[in-house]
Amino acid sequence: MKSALKRAGYKQVHKQMNDVHLQFISKVAFFIILLFAFNLFFAGHYTPGGGFVGGLLMSAAIVLLLIAFDVKTLRKMLPIRFRILIASGLFLAVAVPTLLMFFGYPFFTHEFTNVTLPILGEIGIHSATFFDLGVFLTVCGSTLLIIILVGGADD
Amino acid sequence: MTFIHFAIILPLIAAFLIAIINKYVKGIHLGWFVLPIPFIIVSYLFTLIPTIRNGETLLLNLNFMPRIGMNFDVYIDGLGLLFAILISGIGTLVVLYSIGYLSNKEKLLNFYIYLLMFMTAMLGVVLLDNVLMLYLFWELTSISSFLLIAFWTTKERSTYGAQKSMIITMFGGFMMLGGFILLSNLTGTFSIREMIIASDSVVGVGAGTLAVVLVLLGAFTKSAQFPFYVWLPDAMEAPTPVSAYLHSATMVKAGLYLVARFTPVFMLSTTWVWTILIVGLITLCWASFNAFIKDDLKAVLAFSTVSQLGLIMSLLGISGLAIVRGANEQIFTVAVVAAVFHIINHATFKGALFMVTGIIDHQTGTRSIKKLGGLMTIMPITFTMTLITSLSMAGIPPFNGFLSKEMFLEAMFEISNSNFSSLASVGFLFPLLAILGSIFTLLYSVKIVMQVFLGEDKKETPKQPKEASALLLISPAILSFLVVLFGLVPNLLTKSIIDPAAMSIINAVEPLNTKISHWHGFDSPALWATVVIILVGATLYYFRDTWIFIYKYIRSNYTINYLYDQGLNYSTIYSNRFTKMVMTGFLRTYMVYIFGFLVVLGLITIIKTGLNLDLSNLAPIGIQDMILVGVILTALLIIMITKSRMVSIIMLGAVGFSMALFFVFFRAPDLALTQLAIETVTTTLFLVCFYHLPKQSKLPEHRKFKLTNFVVAVGVGAVSILIGLSAFSNRLFESISQYHVDHVYDLAAGKNMVNVILVDFRGYDTVFETLVFGIAGIGIYILMRLSINRKDDKNEERAEESRL
């Protein structure tokens, strides 16, 4: 982001901008947006939301961090390679429907059961969730990759 | 698979074998290995003569592609056998002659492979019964002839001649294919024999006439008829054995064969008959007139070939009349017999003349008539052969050319006398043209003999002339001997070859019992015509200096050659110009094409089918919808008129957020959420890209108003609106969404129907949309990385400067 600003004519960009307000608020807002993103993602099957919007919001949260700090700091905070995010997301999106074929279902026939977990109690597990997770990761990774690259920072 | 099937492809097989022989056997001329092949074929064909003579025909089936009716069926009757014997017989002599003519330094392997390919192609053309196979071999003759003309590829003239012959004969070939397909549609078969049986369905139909024209185009281009003869004089750049073989005896007769073969099919079509007759006569006169002035010996012979082909063609035209008027009329059968006889005669004397020309060229180093002279005492054997064959060509007794020319004149006189009502006023033209053509034929024949062999020894030739070796002389000697033999004893041929061939041309059943005699009595007009031809010809030749000036009036600008060259030239220029005009290289032009086409197509469809608008199902429009539409319209208007990019981007954002609000009002929360998020991301991206733009275009440019763009844009808008409205008002089926509503919980365990459709009912689409998203990310990553790596430091600096 900073190099983009630099090119735009802001010559006096210091290494550490003294944006206390922005940095503080974004630290707080990051988690709120993240939670909202996860909420949208998990509740997608019953209420509006889903993998796509969730992924976009997640990337928005990270972009907020990127604006407040610089790329290096972001790297330290989130040591993730976005390309790998895309790859794993695509893998999930293709693997889940393919995997279902090995259990004797036609391609893309989802299956769901209720299981009882130690802490959470009884919850429904739907294979579509894992597929949606793939969408989530791909969207998030792609958006971040594009913005950071076009913004002028190295991945 | 009988031997005759094998014989057709035998030369092709031999072409592979001699490639191997060429590699391992050195020192012996390659032609010796080729020589047995045409000899075997011709020997075999001679054994078939007794069968054909008894009026029988052979039909040998061999399935090749039976599903589409394309079979390798060999059909041998008199006509096919005659041509096959000519091809393989003269082929043998030409191969023998080429052994002496071409030295070991030439690319002999190429030469013989092309020649053998040609032999197969010609045998296939004349012996096969299936029109598709005929076409296949027909094109093979064009290709191998192309390769042979361009044998000396380094010479510019020979590549030019090869290209010219290729273009013209290929054009004719394609036309002919069209004619064949039309014919097979009309008659329901690809077999020529069955077409003859079904020939009633061809006549009187428009498609039948078109088929006549197309097939004739094929025949005329191949046989170098007017005005397609222009390729033949340029094809003389080929080695002389090739000229002797292809361009006098065999390939140019393929067109004649085609006409003769299809005469029974088109027998009742008057277009067929008169076109052939008239074009043949025009070709005869025009080419013989042009032949006299040529300076190059081979050019004289080329034009002579064209004129003789015209002669045969006109005779075939008359033979078509035989069927119209009934086969019993003597005159028409005379014409058929004359045509067949002249095909044989022409092949013998023209083949010999070409070989003689080659000998002169080989021994003196030039073919220019002006440089030659007085060769009679130096090359006596060559002189004798030239004399015999030239006199035969001119139609002087007692050689065979005289006999066929006599019959030709007789037929022409008869046709002017016979009472065709349409001919009453112009009937006299036929014998007149025939006599005129014959006079010029005599003139150039005499010219060859007189100016090359008689007169003084000019001693201007590049080489010291001397008599050729026996190897070169033996082939023209055989042909000259045949000229004399057929001249003296013509009835040797009638029963065995001429009659069966003539019978198959006019599809006659009863034997013709032709008798060719030298003497017809004093009351024959042809006799007096011959006398006139000889007297006028001799006079004209003697006083040639007084009238030769008329050739000056034929400027090079008015020839067909000039037309051909300029046509080719201008078609290149104009197609280039057209391409440059249409393909401007600007994306905006192509956009105008695409959208303009869309508008035109949409409007045509709307006008043709009519617009059916039913607006009774419209929902009520709320106040919030109106406000939003107002916002969007304002934003769009600002985008169109603004000069700043920044304003455009912001207004685009405004449109996007208004769309999100629309989704809210239309109860699509998922879409609204996604639209909001994605609009933010894209606006951010636009803003980020904004700074990457180079300095020059960063300046807000003055946007001009363009009428074309305006019209196209308004058209696209109008068409889309109309299509949308008409699609809305013509709902034919119930929507399937009720199924999704009913089963969203019991089948998919979800309550958000949109999401369930996305990941469950129609999840397959989502997989690929995810893939698209991933590809976009990785693609941009690669693009950015590549562009960074490509830049060197200086460029980086300059780019940095321009951005700041």
Side-chain angles (χ1 to χ4, degrees):
Chain A
M1 247 332 103
K2 254 175 206 165
S3 49
L5 290 175
K6 220 178 196 174
R7 282 175 202 155
Y10 297 94
K11 284 182 184 166
Q12 310 298 321
V13 185
H14 299 293
K15 198 157 193 185
Q16 280 278 291
M17 273 204 301
N18 215 1
D19 276 339
V20 180
H21 297 97
L22 180 65
Q23 289 181 353
F24 181 76
I25 289 171
S26 58
K27 273 178 200 161
V28 178
F30 173 72
F31 288 104
I32 297 172
I33 301 173
L34 207 61
L35 273 179
F36 184 47
F38 281 131
N39 175 46
L40 279 180
F41 168 67
F42 281 115
H45 225 57
Y46 284 89
T47 54
F52 196 84
V53 190
L56 277 179
L57 269 179
M58 170 107 171
S59 60
I62 295 172
V63 168
L64 184 66
L65 279 186
L66 188 68
I67 290 169
F69 304 93
D70 61 359
V71 180
K72 276 184 186 164
T73 325
L74 183 75
R75 267 287 162 68
K76 271 180 209 157
M77 286 192 275
L78 294 168
I80 308 165
R81 293 204 138 190
F82 301 120
R83 281 173 285 162
I84 295 179
L85 219 59
I86 298 176
S88 49
L90 285 179
F91 174 75
L92 263 183
V94 178
V96 170
T98 316
L99 203 66
L100 288 162
M101 289 199 335
F102 289 103
F103 290 100
Y105 302 108
F107 186 65
F108 241 111
T109 311
H110 287 300
E111 204 42 40
F112 49 91
T113 50
N114 289 334
V115 288
T116 317
L117 289 179
I119 302 163
L120 298 168
E122 188 184 335
I123 57 165
I125 287 189
H126 197 300
S127 60
T129 314
F130 299 103
F131 173 71
D132 228 11
L133 186 66
V135 179
F136 179 89
L137 291 177
T138 313
V139 169
C140 184
S142 293
T143 317
L144 283 170
L145 190 65
I146 293 169
I147 287 182
I148 289 177
L149 272 175
V150 179
D154 288 339
D155 180 33
Chain B
M1 185 98 180
T2 57
F3 186 78
I4 193 75
H5 289 117
F6 182 66
I8 291 175
I9 52 169
L10 179 64
L12 263 193
I13 298 166
F16 285 102
L17 291 180
I18 64 161
I20 298 165
I21 290 173
N22 184 53
K23 196 164 181 192
Y24 294 107
V25 182
K26 307 277 178 199
I28 306 173
H29 197 284
L30 200 58
W32 292 113
F33 298 103
V34 181
L35 191 60
I37 291 145
F39 189 71
I40 292 170
I41 298 172
V42 77
S43 315
Y44 174 70
L45 288 172
F46 273 124
T47 63
L48 294 175
I49 288 179
T51 323
I52 301 301
R53 185 189 170 140
N54 295 338
E56 293 169 35
T57 54
L58 292 175
L59 179 65
L60 306 157
N61 285 87
L62 182 68
N63 280 358
F64 178 57
M65 291 188 196
R67 285 286 292 280
I68 59 166
M70 186 172 169
N71 286 333
F72 201 72
D73 295 343
V74 171
Y75 176 66
I76 299 182
D77 59 353
L79 188 66
L81 189 66
L82 162 69
F83 273 92
I85 287 175
L86 277 182
I87 290 157
S88 45
I90 294 182
T92 316
L93 297 178
V94 161
V95 170
L96 186 64
Y97 176 76
S98 70
I99 295 171
Y101 188 80
L102 291 172
S103 69
N104 265 325
K105 286 169 198 158
E106 305 279 357
K107 291 177 285 181
L108 286 177
L109 181 63
N110 290 15
F111 179 79
Y112 285 112
I113 285 179
Y114 300 157
L115 201 71
L116 289 168
M117 211 161 104
F118 173 79
M119 212 178 279
T120 286
M122 275 311 292
L123 286 173
V125 165
V126 299
L127 289 181
L128 291 180
D129 180 48
N130 194 293
V131 284
L132 289 180
M133 294 303 278
L134 194 157
Y135 172 72
L136 193 77
F137 284 94
W138 184 275
E139 290 296 3
L140 193 59
T141 64
S142 294
I143 291 164
S144 49
S145 148
F146 168 78
L147 291 169
L148 282 167
I149 296 169
F151 178 64
W152 288 308
T153 43
T154 47
K155 289 205 301 193
E156 199 202 344
R157 289 297 303 171
S158 53
T159 48
Y160 169 78
Q163 189 205 28
K164 196 176 190 176
S165 77
M166 180 83 154
I167 288 174
I168 294 178
T169 52
M170 283 281 175
F171 162 76
F174 281 133
M175 295 297 129
M176 191 182 81
L177 178 64
F180 285 166
I181 291 169
L182 269 181
L183 268 181
S184 76
N185 274 348
L186 288 172
T187 57
T189 171
F190 283 119
S191 156
I192 297 173
R193 279 172 314 104
E194 288 166 27
M195 278 180 185
I196 292 171
I197 295 165
S199 62
D200 288 341
S201 54
V202 178
V203 181
V205 196
T209 315
L210 186 61
V212 167
V213 173
L214 291 175
V215 170
L216 277 186
L217 270 177
F220 286 171
T221 49
K222 200 74 163 182
S223 273
Q225 297 297 298
F226 190 88
F228 305 109
Y229 68 88
V230 285
W231 65 266
L232 190 61
D234 280 303
M236 289 301 127
E237 295 301 321
T240 305
V242 173
S243 307
Y245 188 34
L246 273 67
H247 305 127
S248 67
T250 53
M251 187 177 90
V252 287
K253 295 216 169 79
L256 298 177
Y257 168 79
L258 193 74
V259 169
R261 182 53 96 201
F262 277 88
T263 295
V265 180
F266 295 117
M267 54 187 174
L268 296 173
S269 161
T270 45
T271 326
W272 172 262
V273 172
W274 295 112
T275 316
I276 295 171
L277 178 56
I278 291 163
V279 170
L281 277 176
I282 291 173
T283 315
L284 164 68
C285 290
W286 178 246
S288 59
F289 175 68
N290 273 312
F292 182 62
I293 196 63
K294 296 294 168 198
D295 182 41
D296 185 355
L297 262 179
K298 268 176 117 176
V300 175
L301 291 181
F303 275 102
S304 141
T305 304
V306 174
S307 84
Q308 300 283 318
L309 292 171
L311 189 156
I312 302 168
M313 198 62 99
S314 63
L315 282 173
L316 286 173
I318 301 177
S319 51
L321 286 173
I323 301 157
V324 182
R325 306 280 293 196
N328 295 328
E329 292 196 30
Q330 184 61 28
I331 117 135
F332 303 115
T333 49
V334 166
V336 185
V337 171
V340 175
F341 194 33
H342 203 70
I343 287 171
I344 302 170
N345 294 343
H346 179 249
T348 51
F349 67 68
K350 195 49 68 63
L353 270 172
F354 266 106
M355 290 175 186
V356 164
T357 312
I359 291 172
I360 294 169
D361 191 10
H362 199 259
Q363 299 299 326
T364 65
T366 182
R367 294 194 311 242
S368 170
I369 292 177
K370 280 184 186 145
K371 291 185 186 164
L372 294 167
L375 291 177
M376 184 173 77
T377 47
I378 304 167
M379 304 166 76
I381 307 172
T382 317
F383 168 68
T384 316
M385 293 187 304
T386 315
L387 190 67
I388 293 169
T389 47
S390 297
L391 290 182
S392 173
M393 178 160 74
I396 309 282
F399 303 109
N400 58 2
F402 166 72
L403 299 167
S404 47
K405 184 152 285 178
E406 193 90 323
M407 290 157 85
F408 165 65
L409 291 169
E410 205 173 307
M412 285 299 157
F413 276 113
E414 287 289 339
I415 195 145
S416 69
N417 291 338
S418 56
N419 43 354
F420 289 103
S421 56
S422 54
L423 276 185
S425 53
V426 290
F428 69 95
L429 275 176
F430 293 106
L432 198 67
L433 282 174
I435 291 172
L436 197 68
S438 304
I439 290 172
F440 278 102
T441 308
L442 183 80
L443 278 173
Y444 67 70
S445 308
V446 172
K447 180 184 173 179
I448 292 173
V449 178
M450 298 288 276
Q451 300 193 1
V452 174
F453 289 97
L454 300 176
E456 307 167 15
D457 187 357
K458 290 193 183 161
K459 295 200 168 113
E460 285 175 22
T461 51
K463 279 194 209 166
Q464 185 62 39
K466 63 172 192 294
E467 188 57 274
S469 63
L471 209 53
L472 277 172
L473 288 172
I474 193 160
S475 303
I478 293 171
L479 286 173
S480 308
F481 171 72
L482 288 178
V483 168
V484 178
L485 182 72
F486 295 158
L488 295 176
V489 210
N491 291 320
L492 203 67
L493 289 173
T494 48
K495 266 269 162 34
S496 52
I497 290 179
I498 294 177
D499 273 2
M503 278 161 65
S504 51
I505 291 176
I506 56 174
N507 205 17
V509 187
E510 294 160 22
L512 296 171
N513 292 326
T514 320
K515 278 268 186 292
I516 300 173
S517 55
H518 285 87
W519 186 247
H520 294 274
F522 283 111
D523 52 347
S524 158
L527 175 72
W528 299 110
T530 311
V531 171
V532 167
I533 288 164
I534 292 172
L535 286 179
V536 175
T539 322
L540 278 180
Y541 185 77
Y542 192 73
F543 294 107
R544 63 185 181 278
D545 296 332
T546 56
W547 59 272
I548 204 110
F549 68 91
I550 57 164
Y551 283 102
K552 283 180 191 158
Y553 287 103
I554 305 165
R555 300 246 185 87
S556 61
N557 291 15
Y558 298 121
T559 56
I560 294 159
N561 235 341
Y562 180 80
L563 277 181
Y564 167 84
D565 283 340
Q566 292 303 307
L568 213 60
N569 197 7
Y570 278 109
S571 64
T572 318
I573 290 172
Y574 280 105
S575 48
N576 267 336
R577 215 175 271 176
F578 179 76
T579 315
K580 273 182 194 149
M581 193 183 76
V582 177
M583 310 292 281
T584 54
F586 290 114
L587 270 182
R588 51 175 177 264
T589 324
Y590 304 147
M591 288 300 207
V592 168
Y593 296 156
I594 294 168
F595 286 119
F597 187 71
L598 182 79
V599 171
V600 170
L601 207 66
L603 286 180
I604 289 173
T605 317
I606 286 169
I607 291 167
K608 277 223 156 186
T609 57
L611 204 56
N612 182 20
L613 293 185
D614 169 26
L615 302 177
S616 55
N617 277 337
L618 287 185
I621 301 169
I623 185 83
Q624 73 275 31
D625 302 333
M626 286 184 188
I627 294 170
L628 272 180
V629 168
V631 169
I632 289 177
L633 283 181
T634 321
L636 288 176
L637 199 68
I638 292 172
I639 290 174
M640 277 192 278
I641 59 173
T642 186
K643 284 171 187 170
S644 153
R645 284 213 172 92
M646 192 61 121
V647 176
S648 300
I649 290 169
I650 291 168
M651 284 303 129
L652 212 58
V655 173
F657 288 124
S658 314
M659 287 304 294
L661 272 180
F662 259 125
F663 290 140
V664 171
F665 290 134
F666 290 145
R667 283 166 295 159
D670 288 276
L671 282 184
L673 266 176
T674 314
Q675 174 71 22
L676 273 175
I678 208 81
E679 193 57 45
T680 319
V681 171
T682 46
T683 310
T684 317
L685 270 179
F686 271 133
L687 286 172
V688 171
C689 292
F690 192 70
Y691 295 113
H692 282 286
L693 292 173
K695 201 177 182 181
Q696 288 90 332
S697 60
K698 202 173 159 187
L699 293 169
E701 59 174 33
H702 178 65
R703 218 187 282 181
K704 280 185 216 147
F705 178 77
K706 284 201 180 116
L707 187 69
T708 331
N709 293 3
F710 178 75
V711 169
V712 170
V714 168
V716 170
V719 166
S720 332
I721 290 171
L722 284 175
I723 289 172
L725 280 179
S726 75
F728 172 77
S729 44
N730 296 297
R731 286 260 161 87
L732 297 177
F733 304 105
E734 282 291 308
S735 162
I736 62 158
S737 53
Q738 194 55 44
Y739 172 83
H740 293 140
V741 174
D742 291 342
H743 296 290
V744 68
Y745 192 75
D746 64 333
L747 284 184
K751 284 178 182 164
N752 179 356
M753 205 175 83
V754 174
N755 214 13
V756 167
I757 290 174
L758 278 181
V759 299
D760 201 334
F761 289 134
R762 313 287 300 270
Y764 202 46
D765 298 344
T766 315
V767 173
F768 288 101
E769 278 151 25
T770 315
L771 200 62
V772 167
F773 220 87
I775 288 170
I778 290 164
I780 287 175
Y781 174 77
I782 290 166
L783 281 177
M784 298 295 287
R785 272 303 161 88
L786 279 181
S787 65
I788 288 165
N789 287 342
R790 212 184 292 138
K791 277 180 198 159
D792 54 357
D793 290 345
K794 268 191 180 174
N795 276 346
E796 184 81 68
E797 271 175 32
R798 214 174 288 149
E800 202 72 40
E801 268 175 27
S802 67
R803 277 184 199 124
L804 287 174

